[in-house]
Amino acid sequence: MPRTPALPPDALIPGSPKRRTILKAGGTLLLSVVAPLTASAAQIMAVRVWPADEYTRVTLENDGELKTTHFMVPDPPRLVVDIDGLALNDTLKSLVAKIESNDPYIKQVRVGQNRPNVVRLVFDLKEEVKPQVFNLAPIAGYHHRLIFDLYPVKPVDPLASMIAKENWTTDAAPATPTPAVQPGEPTVGQAGPDAIAKLEADAARAGSTPAQPQPTTPQPAQPHAPAKAAPGQKVARMVTIALDPGHGGEDPGATGTTGVHEKDIVLAVAKRLKAKLEDLPNTRVMLTRDADFFVPLGQRVEKARKVQADLFVSIHADAFVEPTARGSSVFVLSEKGASSSAARWLAADQNKADLIGGVNLASHDRQLASVLMDLSQTAQINDSMKLGKAVLTEIGGINRLHRGVVEQAGFAVLKAPDIPSILVETAFISNPEEEARLKDDAYQNQLADAITKGIKRYFAYNPPLAKSRMT
């Protein structure tokens, strides 16, 4: 057995130079051991839970990146997570009270100090899940975030979910929703050669002399009776429209001066619009999100493709550095760059959604991404432009237009290669006057009416064709 070297005879004498040297060395060694332990003790600053049918997200916001290990335990199903270098505090303990009884996947959560410097979370589950656990770097006012996304083992199918939530008829009906056309305008399937030119002229007039909106009391949509086909009339297929309320969950979008979030405004508008569209014959609507949760940009597009949508309408509310900016806008995808510097800025800002909302890059579908990034989709852009002009014309009747033309930019959410797609910026939430209108029920109802009329106008000139199943 090796012997420990003996200390020099004067090492313990007070004031001895050798004693001071040994004490200094010992202190340095102690600090080198304690300092890393102290520095690694992260603190949880906020906890958030976002339950939804598609998945439940749990977010731990903290002052440093956390290291975790996790595993599943069956019978009953549980997710166990150990977090290294974390001190248990009251904020983390508050996670227990944030689990709601209607959460589809989490029954309850238990939080405790498993061992020194390690906190254990145990999620008691209502069913087996496929968890994704990942870290997000600081961005957009957030600190470091540790994310737990709990997905069902069998993913929610958008088409099955859409059909299950509603009771549409498949009885015979007119070939398209009856458009609100003016005298002299072509009827469905009979668009004249100058139809698009007329839309452009209408949009220009709407941009220069917008009508003043008249407050209306929103009326709940009444279920419509199935329309029967007349003898010999061709039976119509169902028209499917995908509505995409922007942002959600961890991504609040823009915030107005009174603290209202874009994600809440656009969801309210989308729900009103859904009710109005579904009051039309033979029309069904899919919302990319129907509650306050985050949906990555690519998944929004993929949902629309899975339900074989005929149209895709993304709804947003502008924000700009200057509070004087105002007006509504409609955008479509561009193959050749943005149509203005403002459009380029807005597209870049909206395309940050995945960074802010948080996407697990390890599970990102690269094949899907390559499909969605394919810009050789001239036909889609042409149809999108027609839809955009029709909607812009109607919106110009209730609000000032930021510009009197449909703009183009590289919005990621508009890159479905086979669906006419537009992005509607309803108003500037950063403008106090427009923020007040966006919060008003009557104005939200007017917006939904205007977009509905625009879609009907589009179908008047572009009746939906029979389509084969998308791949």
Side-chain angles (χ1 to χ4, degrees):
M1 180 175 179
R3 297 179 58 186
T4 303
L7 293 174
D10 60 346
L12 301 180
I13 300 175
S16 166
K18 290 184 178 179
R19 184 176 187 271
R20 287 196 299 268
T21 300
I22 291 173
L23 290 176
K24 180 184 287 188
T28 301
L29 177 61
L30 182 61
L31 286 174
S32 67
V33 173
V34 174
L37 295 177
T38 304
S40 64
Q43 291 291 322
I44 298 296
M45 306 172 69
V47 295
R48 294 179 291 274
V49 181
W50 309 99
D53 289 340
E54 295 188 22
Y55 74 107
T56 290
R57 167 169 289 191
V58 177
T59 301
L60 307 184
E61 189 172 359
N62 50 87
D63 60 1
E65 185 173 349
L66 299 175
K67 296 181 179 180
T68 66
T69 57
H70 68 277
F71 55 93
M72 296 293 299
V73 179
D75 301 324
R78 285 154 287 164
L79 169 65
V80 181
V81 182
D82 286 340
I83 308 175
D84 294 330
L86 184 63
L88 186 61
N89 62 8
D90 291 338
T91 302
L92 184 53
K93 291 177 182 177
S94 70
L95 177 62
V96 174
K98 291 184 179 291
I99 304 300
E100 301 175 2
S101 59
N102 62 348
D103 189 302
Y105 304 109
I106 304 177
K107 183 184 301 183
Q108 65 178 6
V109 63
R110 290 171 280 151
V111 182
Q113 196 78 46
N114 180 252
R115 55 188 184 273
N117 230 31
V118 175
V119 167
R120 170 166 288 187
L121 308 181
V122 179
F123 294 93
D124 295 315
L125 305 171
K126 295 180 179 179
E127 63 178 71
E128 188 179 356
V129 301
K130 293 196 302 183
Q132 293 187 14
V133 181
F134 56 98
N135 284 283
L136 294 174
I139 189 174
Y142 287 121
H143 295 82
H144 291 272
R145 285 174 291 169
L146 176 61
I147 304 291
F148 307 95
D149 284 346
L150 309 184
Y151 289 90
V153 172
K154 184 179 181 181
V156 175
D157 178 78
L159 181 58
S161 177
M162 179 176 64
I163 294 174
K165 289 180 180 178
E166 304 294 343
N167 186 27
W168 295 290
T169 176
T170 56
D171 291 343
T176 61
T178 304
V181 295
Q182 300 299 320
E185 287 185 341
T187 55
V188 175
Q190 297 176 334
D194 61 344
I196 299 306
K198 185 178 186 303
L199 283 178
E200 292 174 338
D202 288 345
R205 287 195 298 272
S208 58
T209 56
Q212 294 299 317
Q214 299 296 321
T216 60
T217 302
Q219 299 294 327
Q222 299 297 323
H224 58 277
K228 298 294 182 181
Q233 182 179 3
K234 186 177 180 180
V235 176
R237 70 170 177 85
M238 184 72 75
V239 172
T240 303
I241 300 172
L243 299 181
D244 174 47
H247 309 283
E250 287 289 290
D251 176 19
T255 301
T257 56
T258 65
V260 64
H261 295 311
E262 178 183 4
K263 66 176 182 178
D264 299 321
I265 294 293
V266 298
L267 180 59
V269 172
K271 287 182 175 180
R272 290 176 184 272
L273 178 56
K274 178 178 186 291
K276 292 179 183 296
L277 289 171
E278 287 183 342
D279 202 36
L280 303 176
N282 236 36
T283 303
R284 64 186 179 190
V285 177
M286 184 271 293
L287 292 175
T288 58
R289 67 176 182 95
D290 56 6
D292 188 11
F293 63 98
F294 175 70
V295 182
L297 297 175
Q299 286 186 21
R300 295 170 187 265
V301 179
E302 184 64 8
K303 283 185 177 185
R305 300 188 77 235
K306 283 183 176 179
V307 301
Q308 301 189 63
D310 296 281
L311 300 178
F312 180 90
V313 181
S314 191
I315 304 172
H316 292 258
D318 275 358
F320 196 63
V321 292
E322 295 293 337
T324 54
R326 61 181 300 164
S328 302
S329 304
V330 176
F331 295 85
V332 302
L333 186 66
S334 171
E335 284 185 296
K336 301 177 181 178
S339 57
S340 70
S341 57
R344 185 182 304 107
W345 179 88
L346 181 62
D349 187 62
Q350 295 289 3
N351 290 345
K352 293 178 183 176
D354 283 355
L355 298 177
I356 297 171
V359 174
N360 184 7
L361 296 179
S363 65
H364 189 58
D365 191 331
R366 298 296 178 185
Q367 182 177 2
L368 171 61
S370 66
V371 171
L372 299 181
M373 293 301 290
D374 180 7
L375 299 185
S376 58
Q377 43 194 12
T378 304
Q380 184 262 33
I381 293 176
N382 288 341
D383 285 340
S384 299
M385 185 65 75
K386 296 174 186 178
L387 173 62
K389 289 172 180 175
V391 171
L392 189 72
T393 298
E394 298 297 337
I395 292 180
I398 67 164
N399 192 34
R400 171 180 175 176
L401 298 180
H402 189 63
R403 294 189 69 191
V405 297
V406 176
E407 294 210 66
Q408 293 183 262
F411 291 91
V413 79
L414 299 182
K415 292 180 179 177
D418 43 13
I419 306 172
S421 303
I422 63 173
L423 186 147
V424 178
E425 291 285 358
T426 53
F428 277 88
I429 200 172
S430 54
N431 180 300
E433 181 182 342
E434 292 202 334
E435 178 195 13
R437 297 185 70 195
L438 285 169
K439 294 192 297 183
D440 181 67
D441 288 344
Y443 182 65
Q444 290 183 9
N445 202 55
Q446 287 180 307
L447 278 170
D449 274 334
I451 298 173
T452 299
K453 290 177 182 177
I455 290 173
K456 290 167 66 177
R457 179 185 287 258
Y458 168 79
F459 279 129
Y461 301 122
N462 305 274
L465 304 175
K467 64 195 329 182
S468 58
R469 185 166 186 86
M470 297 176 188
T471 55

